[in-house]
Amino acid sequence: MKNAAIFGASGYTGAEAVRLLLEHPQIRIKALSANSRAGEAYASVYPHFSGQDLPETRRISDIDLNDIDVVFSCLPHSTGQNAIAAALESVETVIDVSADFRLSDGQAFERVYGTPHQHPHLLSGRVYGLTEFARDALPGARLVACPGCYPTCTLLALLPGIEAGLIADRHIVVDSKTGVTGAGRKATLGLHFSELSDGSHAYGIGNHRHAPEIEQELRERDHCSSISFTPHLVPMNRGMISTCYVELTPGTTLETLRDSYANRYYADPFVQVATDDSVPQSRHVRGTNLARIGIYPDRVEGRAIIVSVIDNLVKGSSGQALQNYNLTQGWDETLGLSATALFP
Amino acid sequence: MKNAAIFGASGYTGAEAVRLLLEHPQIRIKALSANSRAGEAYASVYPHFSGQDLPETRRISDIDLNDIDVVFSCLPHSTGQNAIAAALESVETVIDVSADFRLSDGQAFERVYGTPHQHPHLLSGRVYGLTEFARDALPGARLVACPGCYPTCTLLALLPGIEAGLIADRHIVVDSKTGVTGAGRKATLGLHFSELSDGSHAYGIGNHRHAPEIEQELRERDHCSSISFTPHLVPMNRGMISTCYVELTPGTTLETLRDSYANRYYADPFVQVATDDSVPQSRHVRGTNLARIGIYPDRVEGRAIIVSVIDNLVKGSSGQALQNYNLTQGWDETLGLSATALFP
Amino acid sequence: MKNAAIFGASGYTGAEAVRLLLEHPQIRIKALSANSRAGEAYASVYPHFSGQDLPETRRISDIDLNDIDVVFSCLPHSTGQNAIAAALESVETVIDVSADFRLSDGQAFERVYGTPHQHPHLLSGRVYGLTEFARDALPGARLVACPGCYPTCTLLALLPGIEAGLIADRHIVVDSKTGVTGAGRKATLGLHFSELSDGSHAYGIGNHRHAPEIEQELRERDHCSSISFTPHLVPMNRGMISTCYVELTPGTTLETLRDSYANRYYADPFVQVATDDSVPQSRHVRGTNLARIGIYPDRVEGRAIIVSVIDNLVKGSSGQALQNYNLTQGWDETLGLSATALFP
Amino acid sequence: MKNAAIFGASGYTGAEAVRLLLEHPQIRIKALSANSRAGEAYASVYPHFSGQDLPETRRISDIDLNDIDVVFSCLPHSTGQNAIAAALESVETVIDVSADFRLSDGQAFERVYGTPHQHPHLLSGRVYGLTEFARDALPGARLVACPGCYPTCTLLALLPGIEAGLIADRHIVVDSKTGVTGAGRKATLGLHFSELSDGSHAYGIGNHRHAPEIEQELRERDHCSSISFTPHLVPMNRGMISTCYVELTPGTTLETLRDSYANRYYADPFVQVATDDSVPQSRHVRGTNLARIGIYPDRVEGRAIIVSVIDNLVKGSSGQALQNYNLTQGWDETLGLSATALFP
């Protein structure tokens, strides 16, 4: 049994980590941090955990890390770098759900997040945990940076085609939609029920921080063209869609593309590729670590549209974090993650 | 006072026409058709009209058109062509909300809708009623084909830039999102509350019938490149977003583009252009005939993202129909359409 | 034309007052107060008013009341008493949407709201504006206290039966459900979209402040038995239901009861009584000043269940406020309030 | 390992049974019936099961019951009696989720459901599976009738107080609210997304079939007074609330009542009693077999309000079915039912 601490357990990604770890046969939750609500029973922070045997929340500084094997860090970006660096001194593994270690160098981080990285030397050694593309690097990894929700959803849709040379190195449009939990648990007017229900809108148009992260990974695969990226907020709790508009390399047919994806993900328990015209729906992966991908002919010749859906809190965040941790330990990656979608 | 008949009053666009006409100072609702529910009080078809003085529903064939000045036809596509052709024999004006007269020739119609047009000779004389671009043709028009909801939302976002030569004649991506009323009032599993709430999905990928309609209008403005178009269903009643990804012509700046749109729509009471970075939200036009448009720099140089929102049932359907009718009569186009959005 | 000021225009009831007054042919909006956002364009507080010609927001103290004929006060309870007392020195009419003048004496107010009333002498002269039961008192009234949303919805369901002696003076259960706008526009965790959607809960069980208000009005009609009252929050923007469980006086039949309600409200433009088994739905009065009432046989002999629905922001708040103001002026009470429900 | 067949797997309760059984360590799903969709892959009936190893759907008559140990019957009421009677000839256990075996005699069934019971002789031997009140009868039971969702939610709230003599044998009001899945997966206009979202309404007022079922169980505990019962449909997928208004026996205090409930359910893993003023929310039990109960002083002396929430598809249906089956087998009742709520 491994002992886990969850940093930032008062946010939605933290609560989702708790939910998933409670199902895990090899992990025991030993500590929960929630600086602003330290000292409370966790069930008072999240009543749906009432009845569960969980430690009360503490400040991070009050957690004895000697006891801990793995930290799942769910802190807001830019706030957990020191805590993670410190944790790496004593715990075996840190799985970071935030944006802090996703970009591969400190300058990129500063450019995108507007503040210098506190521990840039850690960036080179971290594993970028898009699980299906990080299998070789994960076993034994000590610091895993889990991709953002949009990058996870989008890269799963794009990388097989790019790696196989089927998607041309041309401008790609990524239009994404997310559920409201993606915006966190802040009590702001913009997240008020009546301000959000029965409507939708784009945000972060042209400047969302996940776009450089997506491009970083594309460039690593020699796709050097830029992407256009627009996220939208949809009145639902969970769920994410990336609709990706790509140009195919000459001679690439839809069948080639579909087969290629189906083969690429054949052995991956959490990625399902539709090889027909059925369309993935975010609600059908609700609560699961699944990604579903559909590939369609565009009406414009030589182009395709690739649609990918995930649950932003699971595969887009704490589920992938756990999948990654399973692999650092050499365990079956599905441990704790096998639940069927809660539909409806 | 003009006497109106509404064909297809049992659908959502029909009901919306009734709602709007009830506010109109110059129009009296004289007849409502609903073939499948002929003979019922309209309030039994739509309880929210209870208490309103409205005629009971009839079959179209039971309506005495001699009494009628204008028909608002809200029938499903391909089902109303004969009724409309017949109505044109006796009524002054027909405003068609369906897809039947949108495409400019019968072959295009057959190609897209899979069935021959019954009255192709009527197509050349009809006015394509994207109001803000049809002002010259509307006065006195006898047959107005109201654009589809997606074409309305999208063309309002694209045409000013294309007409002004600011958007390059290159491939455009249009990613759209609609509320559920856009799918009509059919009792199907796919529209069941629990199958739709708390989730979202794309549909009609690469083959939605509104794409050829959009391209028809682009080509009329010498924009000959094709478009990629994907609509998505969002768990909300009303509202539509088109997020349009365009390449700009050399030298075009964001300021030029914004100014151009602001000028183009300056005198239009129902189109609002944001000249700053604020983002239009569909909920803020709920129940109104407004379109709101925002224009943003893409992160890719030389490109822009144009976002347009409407209420799919109003500006995307029966509201624009009424706006068009107002103009056929030489009336103020805002008659019956001045209500503020119902927010929240 | 009368000049209106709206105090507390940054809340949902204030915004709803603005929406309704914009449709009113005899009222001009001259001033909007929003202390915390004074100096902003109103469209920055509420983007759905963008394009409307409205004054910018001010502090109440910066409004020149000499210019104003009527104040619609939409301030939170206990915060507007001084402003209202001051306004009464210079303006003709004050319509208060808050709870401050609903209870008939200062001690009752203090008991329920926990703070002494600043101007208890004004309470005896105010009109309790449950319109359909205040017609005699409204013409010329200078201070009207609009009932709370729950009292409005509930009293419309109970008073006719009580006044007619058909409902026994016995314990009544009132179980109510409200949309989220009823909780105001505060940015609190409890109103976060993801904390509220896809679920429901009771609140204020046994101690909601609207219960004493309901009982005050029952006692005025010599119904001295107490009520049990539980409100529930439902994931919808607007809408309110009161389900009332009553004992009938001996010999009272369902037909008697239905007829009595139908007769009582026969001439009331905003109250509709179903005389059959159809059930009112809150969504069918969305955006309107309507109340719909249904009366049903309980399965327990000698009892009935009366269900009433309103839009909590309209008949439950600013719509009834305007209806009341219309009557103070001797105008048609439907002025500005004739819109059909926005359904769906 | 036990082999299970699920009758009626195309409905929501059937799908929920599948979801739960997939997590169960001792049960293998061997057969799924769905008469109207026989021969389809189950993932085409419910795409969220895509990737799961499940049998294709069949007609009931095509299932070889010799292979089966337990049938979970999720058929619509009145349609499965013959299939269940036949199954009892060959399988060890039948857990019926429908209403067919809930009422204790055939005449009561016919009175309430309007059609004669086909196998009334089976009624006396069946166990009424309100688990927490059927522990003695469940071990070895061959036919378990799972209570309706409303009866489950309501009886859990009422029975401890009644059995302990704390709730007076007087008229009780039960006002309930349910999510839309409670209405099943029928494609009807009344369940259309746009007909249900952003609104709420009562239904079955005074004549819902679950009221006699509730009373049957009350009478078994010598509570002979009748109940008033009104269910309401709330725009959410899952969740149920029963708000129960009761009179207390003389001398009963709130503390007595709370203590009594806490003690009664002390050892029950799926019932949580709040001993403070916190209010249970349906969303906090989403996807779980939990019931949460809160007990509050009414503002009327001598009365209390008891609020109970469940997930209608789990504790209100297939979860309780599985809990019951676990106990028929002498297993830990939480097997397959230990997941935390999916919140948000």
Side-chain angles (χ1 to χ4, degrees), chain B residues 155 158-159 161-172 214-226 249:
Chain B
L155 292 168
L158 293 178
L159 292 191
I162 285 172
E163 289 190 347
L166 304 176
I167 294 177
D169 187 359
R170 300 291 294 276
H171 173 251
I172 292 175
I214 295 170
E215 280 189 354
Q216 165 183 284
E217 298 305 304
L218 298 187
R219 287 213 190 89
E220 291 230 341
R221 277 87 180 171
D222 296 326
H223 181 104
C224 298
S225 301
S226 53
T249 47

Side-chain angles (χ1 to χ4, degrees), chain A residues 175 196 215 228 245 283 298, chain B residues 196 228 245 283 298-299:
Chain A
D175 190 283
L196 282 184
E215 280 189 354
S228 297
Y245 300 84
R283 52 184 74 79
D298 198 344
Chain B
L196 282 184
S228 296
Y245 301 83
R283 52 184 75 77
D298 198 343
R299 53 194 300 285

Side-chain angles (χ1 to χ4, degrees), chain D residues 107-278:
Chain D
Q107 290 174 339
F109 180 85
E110 185 168 354
R111 212 159 44 236
V112 175
Y113 290 90
T115 172
H117 202 288
Q118 304 298 307
H119 301 276
H121 62 287
L122 291 174
L123 290 169
S124 55
R126 65 76 171 122
V127 173
Y128 183 78
L130 183 66
T131 323
E132 287 72 16
F133 293 83
R135 296 191 177 290
D136 292 346
L138 285 167
R142 294 200 56 227
L143 174 56
V144 180
C146 296
C149 47
Y150 290 121
T152 296
C153 192
T154 304
L155 291 168
L156 289 174
L158 293 178
L159 292 191
I162 285 172
E163 289 190 347
L166 304 176
I167 293 177
D169 187 359
R170 300 290 295 277
H171 173 251
I172 292 175
V173 169
V174 178
D175 190 283
S176 297
K177 300 90 192 168
T178 189
V180 178
T181 54
R185 207 192 191 197
K186 292 174 295 291
T188 63
L189 180 58
L191 299 179
H192 188 294
F193 180 90
S194 295
E195 303 283 318
L196 282 184
S197 73
D198 207 33
S200 185
H201 62 280
Y203 68 99
I205 308 174
N207 57 28
H208 194 279
R209 285 159 166 169
H210 285 179
E213 182 183 337
I214 295 170
E215 280 188 354
Q216 165 184 284
E217 297 304 305
L218 298 187
R219 287 214 190 89
E220 291 229 341
R221 277 86 179 173
D222 296 326
H223 181 104
C224 298
S225 302
S226 53
I227 65 163
S228 297
F229 172 62
T230 310
H232 299 75
L233 202 53
V234 166
M236 56 188 185
N237 281 335
R238 293 166 178 255
M240 176 166 283
I241 308 180
S242 280
T243 309
C244 306
Y245 301 83
V246 302
E247 184 173 326
L248 302 178
T249 48
T252 297
T253 65
L254 190 78
E255 288 64 38
T256 317
L257 200 61
R258 284 181 172 172
D259 289 350
S260 166
Y261 276 67
N263 290 334
R264 175 60 181 81
Y265 290 125
Y266 181 73
D268 286 305
F270 292 121
V271 185
Q272 300 180 337
V273 178
T275 50
D276 56 15
D277 289 337
S278 69

